[in-house]
Amino acid sequence: MKIIGRKKEIEQLEKIYDSHKNEFVAITGRRRVGKTYLVSQLFENRITFYHVGISPNKLKEDEKRRKIDVQLEAFYASLLIRGYKNNKRPKNWFEAFSMLIDFLESKKDEERILIFIDELPWLDTPKSNFISAFEWFWNIYGANKSSLMLITCGSSTSWMLNKVINSHEGLYDRITYSIHLSPFTLGECEQFFNEKGYHLSKYMIATVYMVLGGIPYYLNYYQPTQSINQTIDELFFKGGKLSLEYDNLFESSFDKEKLTRRIVEFLADRKKGYTRKQLVESLDISDGDDVGSVLKALINSDFIREYTPYGESKKNKYYKVIDSFCLFYIHNVKNNTSIDKNPFNDDASSKWIGSAFENICAYHLDTIKNKLGINGIKTLQFSLFVEPDEENRGAQIDLLIERKDKTIHLIEMKFYDKEFSVDKSYHLNLMNKIDRVKSLSKNRSTIYLNLVTTFGLSKNEYFGDFVECITLDDLFM
């Protein structure tokens, strides 16, 4: 299967490959997003040496007690596969990288030497001294070879950032390029399914997206001959192919796995998320470096988003879950044994559906701005949550776009299986939202109401409340 999307990344990597100088590239992105596939397919016949770290989840009990030996044995095996001739296994990482240098020297007449080390964080086992040896390899050898290009990948984005990309030690300022691989857009998902011969409606693709996110590995398991309920049941329950993925996701991507999982599951409980203060008080945990590092790791891995509601102090930051797979799992799979009802029609799932569709829209913000004709205008994006008081109703706005030219767009988001209709109650709710924003902006801004919904807006006496209606079709552009 050809590489779907990733045009910017492909152009960048090819340009780096043709640079005729030594290059050190670090690629980050959440687990299963397609980092390995991109590099291995793009450079299929051009990789001189390839190695992937052994997942800690795949180690047997006896292997867990000797993690460094297992990783070294695998590294040595990768050298042998590439034709390295040496009967002596490395005892430590310095010996291992010395062997790699020896192997690369046998290839020194080649115009371009490409090394691809995948899942680099998994090689850094406790007391292995891996980082010191890796730094030594690059500084003493790699940085001095104009023919050498090194690509490293890792699903633990925080590890990659701290130990490699933003290192203040031996690898300081050694990275020549860093690339972050994000999930597919809706349009890329459509290309993915078309390539597999699945010509799905945009509504069905969006439905699948709300369950699996834009993660190619997960999307690959979708079967178009089944209903969405059958798909969910087969993938998530009774030993399904994704039944263990949620646990593996945290165990393989984060150092503080248990704390990270608790934080994500707590934040997912409310559409707007929580502040850090609310988080530590509710979970009864210490507000120290551990919480800060976990939140940072989750943000860098595209699991949560940090934001400040409109009209509030920048210090009053909220954190909310934006990973579609985790959001679906927490609300519909965790603590269940099967999907008895359609999660897209069940009223009890409305909280999850609202959050999931809002996340899709936020991920396609540039597309929304382009449809509104404001792509070239500098903007700030917010959410708005106003508690009711004695004189006014409360107000919640999914997305508020504030333009530099004193114009505000209030974006409502509705996931429906038919045209959305504005009734009198919702009309009054919209008018209240406008009034609350006018008050917060001190009447200094022009305010437009916009709607993002699946199949458009039905015409009635209130449909004119919205200046612009953006449909699901628009989000695929």
Side-chain angles (χ1 to χ4, degrees):
M1 187 174 181
K2 70 177 184 179
I3 301 173
I4 302 299
R6 315 304 191 196
K7 291 182 180 180
K8 178 182 176 182
E9 291 83 4
I10 290 172
E11 290 175 3
Q12 191 173 16
L13 286 168
E14 288 286 14
K15 184 178 179 181
I16 296 168
Y17 184 84
D18 295 332
S19 70
H20 303 295
K21 61 180 182 179
N22 70 76
E23 302 282 9
F24 188 166
V25 182
I27 302 178
T28 59
R30 103 199 270 290
R31 172 180 162 93
R32 307 300 196 186
V33 79
K35 303 181 295 298
T36 303
Y37 188 84
L38 171 63
V39 177
S40 61
Q41 290 296 305
L42 180 62
F43 296 112
E44 184 177 7
N45 299 313
R46 293 180 280 176
I47 299 175
T48 307
F49 174 72
Y50 170 60
H51 178 67
V52 58
I54 303 297
S55 168
N57 298 331
K58 294 182 179 179
L59 295 179
K60 298 176 182 178
E61 284 305 315
D62 64 315
E63 292 175 330
K64 290 180 180 178
R65 293 190 291 271
R66 54 183 192 92
K67 291 179 181 178
I68 181 174
D69 294 331
V70 173
Q71 298 291 357
L72 284 168
E73 287 169 7
F75 191 86
Y76 176 66
S78 294
L79 281 168
L80 296 180
I81 289 171
R82 292 287 165 168
Y84 182 60
K85 306 297 184 182
N86 193 315
N87 293 324
K88 181 184 177 183
R89 294 185 180 184
K91 296 178 182 177
N92 55 57
W93 280 113
F94 281 95
E95 280 192 14
F97 281 111
S98 293
M99 290 180 178
L100 178 58
I101 291 173
D102 188 31
F103 169 72
L104 296 176
E105 279 297 290
S106 69
K107 308 288 183 180
K108 62 183 179 181
D109 293 333
E110 296 182 7
E111 187 175 344
R112 195 50 153 169
I113 297 173
L114 175 58
I115 303 171
F116 178 29
I117 303 181
D118 195 8
E119 291 301 354
L120 192 70
W122 290 347
L123 302 179
D124 188 25
T125 54
K127 300 180 181 180
S128 67
N129 214 20
F130 170 78
I131 279 293
S132 296
F134 183 62
E135 291 171 346
W136 171 81
F137 161 73
W138 184 255
N139 291 328
I140 202 72
Y141 184 80
N144 300 306
K145 293 289 182 181
S146 60
S147 62
L148 188 61
M149 177 178 175
L150 170 63
I151 299 178
T152 59
C153 289
S155 298
S156 177
T157 303
S158 57
W159 188 98
M160 292 290 291
L161 288 171
N162 296 333
K163 299 292 183 72
V164 179
I165 299 172
N166 298 326
S167 172
H168 295 289
E169 298 180 353
L171 292 178
Y172 176 74
D173 205 27
R174 294 293 189 267
I175 295 290
T176 52
Y177 289 91
S178 63
I179 297 172
H180 184 74
L181 210 60
S182 299
F184 280 167
T185 62
L186 286 171
E188 288 169 338
C189 287
E190 185 175 43
Q191 293 175 40
F192 179 88
F193 287 128
N194 286 345
E195 185 67 21
K196 289 174 70 69
Y198 305 161
H199 300 288
L200 308 179
S201 70
K202 288 178 170 55
Y203 180 81
M204 180 53 68
I205 293 173
T207 301
V208 174
Y209 198 102
M210 292 166 73
V211 175
L212 303 176
I215 309 301
Y217 180 86
Y218 303 159
L219 295 172
N220 197 51
Y221 288 124
Y222 175 73
Q223 296 296 325
T225 56
Q226 299 177 327
S227 70
I228 190 66
N229 271 30
Q230 288 175 318
T231 297
I232 292 168
D233 245 356
E234 186 168 301
L235 290 181
F236 290 95
F237 299 101
K238 301 169 186 175
K241 288 184 169 57
L242 296 180
S243 60
L244 300 178
E245 177 62 15
Y246 180 76
D247 293 334
N248 291 338
L249 194 57
F250 288 94
E251 291 172 3
S252 63
S253 303
F254 302 100
D255 293 334
K256 301 174 180 64
E257 176 260 323
K258 291 182 180 179
L259 177 60
T260 304
R261 190 190 310 226
R262 286 187 69 198
I263 287 175
V264 169
E265 290 174 0
F266 174 73
L267 295 179
D269 184 57
R270 192 164 66 168
K271 185 178 178 181
K272 71 175 183 179
Y274 293 90
T275 64
R276 180 164 171 166
K277 181 180 179 182
Q278 292 170 332
L279 169 70
V280 296
E281 288 179 352
S282 297
L283 294 183
D284 193 24
I285 55 178
S286 174
D287 188 7
D289 292 339
D290 281 356
V291 171
S293 64
V294 166
L295 290 173
K296 185 177 179 181
L298 286 167
I299 292 169
N300 290 331
S301 301
D302 298 323
F303 279 74
I304 68 171
R305 178 168 72 91
E306 176 187 71
Y307 73 98
T308 302
Y310 183 72
E312 296 191 26
S313 167
K314 291 183 178 180
K315 295 180 179 180
N316 195 33
K317 294 178 180 178
Y318 278 73
Y319 301 88
K320 61 175 293 183
V321 176
I322 60 171
D323 183 81
S324 296
F325 176 84
C326 287
L327 200 62
F328 175 79
Y329 187 95
I330 292 167
H331 284 281
N332 297 284
V333 179
K334 189 174 181 286
N335 301 324
N336 289 329
T337 57
S338 67
I339 292 291
D340 295 325
K341 298 179 180 179
N342 188 332
F344 294 91
N345 294 333
D346 186 11
D347 290 339
S349 297
S350 60
K351 181 170 65 173
W352 163 72
I353 294 172
S355 295
F357 188 60
E358 180 184 327
N359 287 338
I360 288 179
C361 295
Y363 192 61
H364 294 77
L365 179 61
D366 287 343
T367 306
I368 291 173
K369 288 175 63 176
N370 187 55
K371 181 64 178 177
L372 294 175
I374 60 173
N375 219 25
I377 301 174
K378 191 172 183 180
T379 63
L380 294 173
Q381 286 72 235
F382 303 90
S383 292
L384 175 64
F385 306 97
V386 181
E387 298 296 332
D389 54 35
E390 294 181 358
E391 298 181 359
N392 300 291
R393 297 168 58 188
Q396 176 176 317
I397 296 171
D398 300 327
L399 175 63
L400 184 153
I401 300 177
E402 184 179 50
R403 292 162 37 178
K404 279 293 184 180
D405 57 358
K406 298 188 181 303
T407 302
I408 292 176
H409 294 265
L410 305 186
I411 315 291
E412 292 284 292
M413 305 171 188
K414 301 294 179 183
F415 187 79
Y416 269 65
D417 59 0
K418 55 187 176 182
E419 286 186 338
F420 180 72
S421 179
V422 181
D423 59 20
K424 183 177 181 180
S425 175
Y426 187 57
H427 162 76
L428 294 175
N429 187 18
L430 291 173
M431 296 304 104
N432 173 63
K433 291 182 180 185
I434 291 176
D435 289 341
R436 299 310 298 266
V437 174
K438 280 183 178 178
S439 176
L440 288 170
S441 67
K442 298 180 173 57
N443 288 312
R444 295 174 182 170
S445 299
T446 302
I447 300 173
Y448 293 122
L449 272 173
N450 305 113
L451 175 68
V452 182
T453 189
T454 42
F455 295 111
L457 190 61
S458 63
K459 293 184 178 181
N460 62 13
E461 59 182 310
Y462 301 116
F463 89 101
D465 288 351
F466 291 106
V467 176
E468 182 84 35
C469 178
I470 298 169
T471 65
L472 197 56
D473 284 356
D474 297 319
L475 296 184
F476 277 76
M477 294 180 179

